[in-house]
C-alpha cells in the first residue's frame, strides 16, 4: 500500500504495533461476559481495529526488505485475533462470519478454499468477517460448510445431548452377566 518499507521503518512499525496490541489486549481483558448483550458490540470494535492492524502488518511483511520483527508482530496479532474470534464465535448471538472464520481456521483452510468449496464469492468471506450479513441463500451455504467441517469449534457444549437409547432386545441383555455370555459363566461355574 503506497511506499515500500525502509529498514528504519520496520522498528517504527513494530513499536506502533506493540502499542496498539497493548491497547487491544486491555480492551479484550475488559470485555463483558460472552452472555452479556454488550459483548458482541464491544468485541466487534476490537476485532475491526485488529483487522486494520493485521492488514498493515501484512503489507509491511510482504516488502522485499527482510524484517523478522515485523513477522513476529504479525504473528502475535493474528494469534490474538484468532483467539478473540474463537471466543466471539462460541458466544451466544455470534455472526455466521465469526462462526465460519473460526471453523475454517480450525480446519486449516484459506478463505478462497472455503469459498470455492461452498460455492460462495471469494470476497464474501472477508465481508462476513467484517460483520456483513449474508443473503439467505449464502447463509444456507455457509451453514452447510460449517456443518461439513465439523461445526464451530468450542461450541460442543452447546449441542443437545442425545437421549440414551433403550436396548431393542430385552432378552439379549438377560443372556449376559456383567458383559459375559451367560452360557460361558454357567459352563465353567459347575
Amino acid at each position: 500500500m503506497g511506499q515500500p518499507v525502509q529498514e528504519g521503518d520496520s522498528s517504527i512499525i513494530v513499536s506502533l504495533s506493540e502499542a496498539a496490541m497493548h491497547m487491544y489486549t486491555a480492551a479484550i481483558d475488559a470485555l463483558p461476559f460472552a452472555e452479556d448483550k454488550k459483548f458482541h458490540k464491544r468485541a466487534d470494535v476490537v476485532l475491526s481495529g485488529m483487522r486494520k492492524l493485521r492488514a498493515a502488518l501484512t503489507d509491511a511483511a510482504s516488502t522485499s526488505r527482510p524484517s523478522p520483527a515485523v513477522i513476529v508482530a504479525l504473528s502475535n496479532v493474528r494469534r490474538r485475533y484468532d483467539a478473540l474470534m474463537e471466543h466471539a464465535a462460541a458466544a451466544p448471538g455470534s455472526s455466521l462470519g465469526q462462526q465460519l472464520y473460526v471453523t475454517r481456521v480450525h480446519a486449516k483452510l484459506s478463505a478462497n478454499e472455503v469459498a470455492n468449496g461452498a460455492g460462495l464469492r471469494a470476497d464474501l468471506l472477508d465481508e462476513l468477517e467484517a460483520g456483513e450479513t449474508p443473503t439467505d441463500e449464502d447463509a444456507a451455504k455457509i451453514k452447510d460448510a460449517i456443518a461439513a467441517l465439523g461445526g464451530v469449534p468450542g461450541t460442543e457444549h452447546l449441542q443437545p445431548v442425545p437421549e440414551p437409547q433403550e436396548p431393542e432386545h430385552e432378552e439379549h441383555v438377560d443372556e449376559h452377566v456383567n458383559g459375559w455370555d451367560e452360557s460361558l459363566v454357567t459352563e465353567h461355574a459347575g
Side-chain angles (χ1 to χ4, degrees):
M1 294 180 87
Q3 310 236 338
V5 176
Q6 303 297 315
E7 281 183 49
D9 292 345
S10 63
S11 65
I12 294 169
I13 291 169
V14 170
S15 293
L16 291 172
S17 169
E18 289 173 353
M21 280 309 298
H22 179 73
M23 301 217 15
Y24 290 132
T25 298
I28 291 167
D29 292 345
L31 285 172
F33 290 108
E35 295 78 18
D36 190 308
K37 291 179 183 180
K38 297 175 186 174
F39 172 80
H40 279 291
K41 184 177 180 181
R42 292 183 181 173
D44 288 346
V45 170
V46 175
L47 288 165
S48 176
M50 290 181 74
R51 274 191 295 278
K52 291 174 186 174
L53 180 58
R54 182 182 65 183
L57 287 169
T58 299
D59 286 346
S62 64
T63 65
S64 61
R65 298 189 191 272
S67 178
V70 171
I71 61 171
V72 168
L74 176 57
S75 174
N76 290 336
V77 170
R78 284 183 179 166
R79 279 189 291 205
R80 193 62 198 241
Y81 180 86
D82 288 353
L84 180 54
M85 281 292 272
E86 278 185 43
H87 187 60
S94 63
S95 71
L96 276 179
Q98 291 167 333
Q99 294 172 23
L100 183 59
Y101 178 87
V102 170
T103 301
R104 79 167 179 81
V105 167
H106 189 261
K108 308 291 188 229
L109 296 171
S110 71
N112 284 338
E113 291 164 340
V114 171
N116 289 338
L120 300 165
R121 297 186 338 262
D123 61 338
L124 178 62
L125 274 64
D126 288 335
E127 293 170 9
L128 293 173
E129 182 184 340
E132 294 296 320
T133 303
T135 64
D136 290 343
E137 182 182 339
D138 288 341
K141 291 177 182 178
I142 292 164
K143 289 175 183 176
D144 288 346
I146 290 170
L149 292 171
V152 181
T155 60
E156 296 82 11
H157 66 285
L158 300 175
Q159 304 305 319
V161 177
E163 293 291 324
Q165 299 292 323
E166 292 292 324
E168 289 183 27
H169 298 47
E170 200 63 41
E171 66 273 355
H172 181 69
V173 173
D174 293 337
E175 294 174 7
H176 292 83
V177 177
N178 292 332
W180 291 80
D181 188 316
E182 189 172 359
S183 63
L184 291 173
V185 173
T186 55
E187 276 179 29
H188 297 294

